[in-house]
Amino acid sequence: TLPEKKMVFKGVVTNKEDINKLMLIPLIRYPLPGGSALITFEKAEVAQRIVAAKEHVVELSYGEELEELERCRVRVRAAPVDVLLPSALEIRLTRSSRSIVVSDLPGLGMPQEALLDKLELFFSKTKNGGGEVESREFLDNTGQVVLTFAQDGVAEPLIERGHIQVLIGKGRYHLKISPCMTGDVASLQLQPSRCPSTILLSGIPDVLAEEPMRDALEIHFQKTSRGGGEVDALAYVPAGRQGVAVFMEDEG
């Protein structure tokens, strides 16, 4: 048995739920063939009603002065939109032996290339613990920079330090240094997911110009008398052409 000893914990407490958590932001490209349209409604129940009806007769001429025989109508088909979303993801991480991630960069209001030049000048000097810099780049939307050295043995001592004071212009700034990790997808499982508020219209004939056809479709499917509702977005691809719709995470 060991004698009792009083101890004081001075570390950082982290919630267990926050450990090893990976956030995936969907960015899905959905091909649109010619003669089709995607319509997103503000309310999901409207999309469900339109899909349940399957076929719809859309009136292209809405002038009040037209006789019944002069009106032009087209028949289109409505279907749900199913996309594939990741359900399980396994990533194999590799730590780079020559690269570091530099963060906590100051907002100096200078162009990115000028800041990269300053960092390369500093970290290329052996007196600062650096070496010849082979490449440098900003990580998108992170405010972090990846520096890659030409030789092994330069990055590791800098990473062990964790922080370093860097002279930029007339000021010294305390920057954080972290290892650079790269990941390869080892396993990916997908599952179908149905868009609750979006429908796909197909079989649209090429009888109107692009903008008038888009307006006619929106006018028709926002009418509550025809089972429609408020249209949030509409994309139309005329016959003979192809398009791609991009689905992003709903921030609302």
Side-chain angles (χ1 to χ4, degrees):
T1 59
L2 295 175
E4 291 186 4
K5 184 177 182 179
K6 293 184 178 181
M7 303 180 69
V8 178
F9 176 72
K10 294 184 178 180
V12 179
V13 179
T14 304
N15 292 330
K16 185 177 180 181
E17 292 77 11
D18 296 333
I19 299 176
N20 297 328
K21 183 176 291 186
L22 177 67
M23 299 298 295
L24 294 178
I25 301 177
L27 184 63
I28 301 169
R29 289 172 171 81
Y30 189 88
L32 287 177
S36 67
L38 277 181
I39 304 180
T40 299
F41 296 95
E42 289 188 355
K43 295 182 178 179
E45 55 265 28
V46 176
Q48 294 168 9
R49 286 200 302 267
I50 298 297
V51 169
K54 294 185 179 180
E55 288 196 345
H56 299 265
V57 177
V58 179
E59 192 167 289
L60 303 183
S61 303
Y62 283 90
E64 295 294 335
E65 70 281 358
L66 295 178
E67 297 293 336
E68 181 68 21
L69 293 177
E70 295 177 310
R71 297 181 185 275
C72 178
R73 299 179 177 88
V74 296
R75 189 179 297 274
V76 298
R77 298 181 298 277
V81 175
D82 294 321
V83 295
L84 292 175
L85 293 178
S87 59
L89 176 64
E90 181 183 344
I91 297 179
R92 185 183 296 108
L93 294 177
T94 305
R95 179 167 170 167
S96 174
S97 62
R98 294 186 179 182
S99 299
I100 62 172
V101 177
V102 182
S103 54
D104 293 347
L105 298 172
L108 301 177
M110 66 172 60
Q112 285 189 355
E113 283 300 316
L115 181 56
L116 288 175
D117 288 341
K118 298 289 187 184
L119 292 174
E120 181 174 351
L121 282 172
F122 180 88
F123 282 99
S124 63
K125 298 181 183 297
T126 55
K127 68 178 183 179
N128 297 327
E132 181 184 347
V133 175
E134 187 176 78
S135 65
R136 76 274 174 94
E137 65 172 328
F138 264 95
L139 294 177
D140 293 338
N141 304 317
T142 65
Q144 299 176 335
V145 169
V146 175
L147 297 178
T148 300
F149 298 100
Q151 303 294 330
D152 289 328
V154 180
E156 198 59 38
L158 289 171
I159 293 170
E160 290 178 0
R161 292 173 65 174
H163 291 83
I164 191 170
Q165 279 197 347
V166 177
L167 179 64
I168 302 177
K170 296 182 180 180
R172 288 189 172 273
Y173 302 92
H174 201 59
L175 306 186
K176 181 180 179 182
I177 302 177
S178 308
C180 180
M181 309 294 293
T182 57
D184 296 319
V185 176
S187 175
L188 175 62
Q189 297 178 18
L190 302 172
Q191 66 178 9
S193 177
R194 178 157 296 179
C195 299
S197 304
T198 302
I199 66 167
L200 175 66
L201 297 179
S202 59
I204 304 173
D206 190 16
V207 294
L208 279 183
E210 186 172 345
E211 187 172 349
M213 178 63 82
R214 189 187 304 113
D215 292 341
L217 292 171
E218 185 166 353
I219 289 172
H220 177 90
F221 285 100
Q222 72 180 3
K223 289 181 176 292
T224 54
S225 60
R226 299 181 183 274
E230 258 336 289
V231 174
D232 188 46
L234 189 150
Y236 164 62
V237 179
R241 292 166 55 183
Q242 290 185 340
V244 175
V246 179
F247 289 87
M248 303 177 66
E249 184 179 26
D250 185 2
E251 298 179 355

